[in-house]
Amino acid sequence: MNSHLMPTYNRQPVTFVRGEGARLWDTTGRVYLDALSGIAVTGLGHAQPDISEAICDQAKTLIHTSNVYGIEWQAKLADKLAEISGMSSVFFCNSGAEANEAAIKLARLFAHQKKIENPQIIVMETSFHGRTLATLAATGNPLIQKGFEPLVGGFLRVPYGDLAAIEQLAAVHDNITAVLVEPVQGEGGVRPAPKGFLRGIRTLCDQHDWLMMVDEVQTGIGRTGRWFGFQHEEGVLPDVMSLAKGLGNGVPIGASVAAGKAAKLFAPGNHGTTFGGNPLVCRVGCTVLNVIERDGLLARASDLSTRIRAGLIAGFQSEPAVLEVRGLGLLIGVVLDHPCGELVRRALDRGLLINVTAGSVIRLLPPLIMTDEQADELVSTLVALVQDWVAENTAQVTD
Ligand SMILES: *Cc1c(COP(=O)(O)O)cnc(C)c1O
């Protein structure tokens, strides 16, 4: 690869030059099945015609002005996000980490307005919130923090799913201002929140006047079969929600969405961005939401999830190395009994794009528009791949 690029990634030895739907083509013309969607980004698939058209038309009309002027598409996208989330105000930025930065700033502002000094945000073990200084401190993964100390302070950590641990913190700290949680931990190993966890957090936040902040960067925009992951649990409306990834289908856009007491916290001068929410990305965001609605892709994501998970469970039923198939909607994890990072390369050799997270969890993030035939291809390729790999390893052990 190019020696003038900083080596921040261990890149796979392939370069894609073209895509269509759930298919990608590399520089040699070889075709691949994309079960990763650029890590939960291209939910509508590659070269989706409505998206391409929106980008081309807006590029010929107006790409950027500034947030010191009115931006029609920004207002439209904010209206639409408010409608589908039940929340009320939006700040647009360019990435998931930035959306979480805005959330963290909102939480601190909320505390300072109540004269709380040194406010603390409760975050989870094995969480992921981004790579900026504040979001890597919020992230529950020492590998991501190592080498970047001193870490930004103001975070208290509890095990994911442990409501009692949050209550214990509430009993000893009087400066807690918010809880930040993912509805499903994606990077952390595709762990869905235990039933009742989000509602329990909502209740505690109401009791203690904290902000409930959900990081829906990976789970949002239809990925789980509902617009947002929190909508799988009745009676839960967060105060702050972070979005990015799927919102732009590939154009860089993030959003921090707020409701109730969080909706009016930022005043002029508190926060800002040069690029965030420009006419181009906001028009694309509107198009993404319209296409999901028009084409019934929330229901489609649920149906595809059922099909893929049933296929995987059947395929792996007599494979003891596979401990569990879990997830929510089209965020699917196949948990193996030992580290399996090398499967990413092996899948690539078979023309399939997947990912491995938390060492031993195969992560699948297929686009919402994948066809039934492609879903079946994904299942059969993956089942054969894992079985061959396990058989090879077992053979080596007994040799
Ligand atoms: C990807 C991700 C982020 C970071 O988003 P970037 O756009 O890479 O900054 C934050 N939170 C979650 C849950 C994510 O999956």
Side-chain angles (χ1 to χ4, degrees):
M1 295 285 165
N2 191 309
S3 60
H4 291 116
L5 294 172
M6 291 194 191
T8 46
Y9 284 88
N10 276 320
R11 294 177 196 266
Q12 295 297 319
V14 65
T15 300
F16 299 110
V17 290
R18 185 167 73 83
E20 195 183 314
R23 297 281 182 200
L24 280 168
W25 284 263
D26 73 7
T27 43
T28 71
R30 181 168 181 203
V31 62
Y32 298 78
L33 180 63
D34 184 1
L36 188 59
S37 305
I39 313 190
V41 171
T42 51
L44 306 187
H46 302 286
Q48 201 283 341
D50 301 276
I51 301 294
S52 302
E53 167 66 23
I55 293 171
C56 292
D57 190 62
Q58 194 58 39
K60 289 186 238 173
T61 309
L62 188 67
I63 294 178
H64 176 86
T65 52
S66 163
N67 280 308
V68 303
Y69 307 111
I71 299 174
E72 278 185 344
W73 284 106
Q74 202 178 94
K76 278 188 201 170
L77 183 53
D79 287 350
K80 189 70 193 170
L81 286 173
E83 178 199 318
I84 62 178
S85 66
M87 299 173 73
S88 56
S89 69
V90 188
F91 173 82
F92 288 106
C93 53
N94 311 288
S95 68
E98 277 180 87
N100 285 328
E101 287 277 342
I104 293 164
K105 284 181 71 174
L106 283 170
R108 288 188 171 191
L109 205 53
F110 181 61
H112 286 294
Q113 288 185 359
K114 292 192 291 180
K115 308 276 183 260
I116 292 175
E117 279 171 34
N118 192 22
Q120 303 290 313
I121 298 170
I122 297 177
V123 291
M124 307 294 144
E125 288 172 10
T126 59
S127 62
F128 182 78
H129 299 297
R131 300 284 197 156
T132 61
L133 280 173
T135 59
L136 77 82
T139 291
N141 180 348
L143 290 177
I144 283 174
Q145 298 169 339
K146 194 171 177 297
F148 302 106
E149 301 85 354
L151 298 183
V152 172
F155 298 103
L156 301 169
R157 203 170 298 283
V158 297
Y160 189 60
D162 192 344
L163 274 179
I166 299 178
E167 284 183 291
Q168 278 160 21
L169 285 178
V172 292
H173 295 270
D174 59 4
N175 54 357
I176 295 167
T177 181
V179 179
L180 175 62
V181 62
E182 296 157 272
V184 182
Q185 290 190 329
E187 305 299 311
V190 190
R191 297 163 200 266
K195 211 168 168 30
F197 185 50
L198 295 183
R199 191 166 334 121
I201 291 177
R202 179 68 270 175
T203 303
L204 286 173
C205 286
D206 290 339
Q207 275 170 9
H208 297 282
D209 195 31
W210 303 334
L211 298 181
M212 177 178 183
M213 312 203 294
V214 290
D215 181 344
E216 296 256 11
V217 170
Q218 192 156 152
T219 49
I221 319 297
R223 173 57 48 193
T224 67
R226 307 241 166 122
W227 282 117
F228 306 107
F230 76 80
Q231 293 171 334
H232 287 269
E233 201 148 292
E234 216 143 300
V236 173
L237 187 70
D239 300 297
V240 180
M241 168 170 73
S242 300
L243 297 174
K245 295 199 166 104
L247 181 55
N249 209 60
V251 302
I253 181 171
S256 193
V257 187
K261 54 197 175 190
K264 298 263 159 12
L265 281 172
F266 279 153
N270 284 143
H271 200 47
T273 167
T274 298
F275 290 139
N278 77 28
L280 181 81
V281 296
C282 286
R283 176 159 174 191
V284 174
C286 286
T287 308
V288 166
L289 302 182
N290 288 340
V291 169
I292 289 175
E293 220 160 43
R294 182 196 71 195
D295 296 349
L297 293 182
L298 299 181
R300 177 66 192 151
S302 294
D303 292 348
L304 261 176
S305 172
T306 305
R307 188 181 188 97
I308 293 170
R309 290 173 63 157
L312 292 175
I313 289 166
F316 288 131
Q317 66 181 352
S318 51
E319 180 49 80
V322 174
L323 303 180
E324 193 185 1
V325 176
R326 67 187 180 202
L328 195 60
L330 290 176
L331 172 45
I332 300 170
V334 179
V335 186
L336 298 203
D337 65 357
H338 59 294
C340 61
E342 65 179 278
L343 285 177
V344 173
R345 174 66 192 275
R346 285 170 174 248
L348 192 69
D349 291 341
R350 297 187 187 203
L352 175 66
L353 307 191
I354 60 165
N355 173 248
V356 166
T357 183
S360 56
V361 182
I362 299 169
R363 179 171 49 167
L364 304 175
L365 292 158
L368 284 55
I369 50 74
M370 189 174 256
T371 65
D372 286 348
E373 293 70 32
Q374 290 167 337
D376 296 345
E377 178 187 330
L378 159 59
V379 169
S380 58
T381 307
L382 192 70
V383 168
L385 172 77
V386 171
Q387 281 173 344
D388 292 352
W389 180 68
V390 172
E392 230 177 90
N393 285 0
T394 319
Q396 276 166 11
V397 173
T398 47
D399 274 353

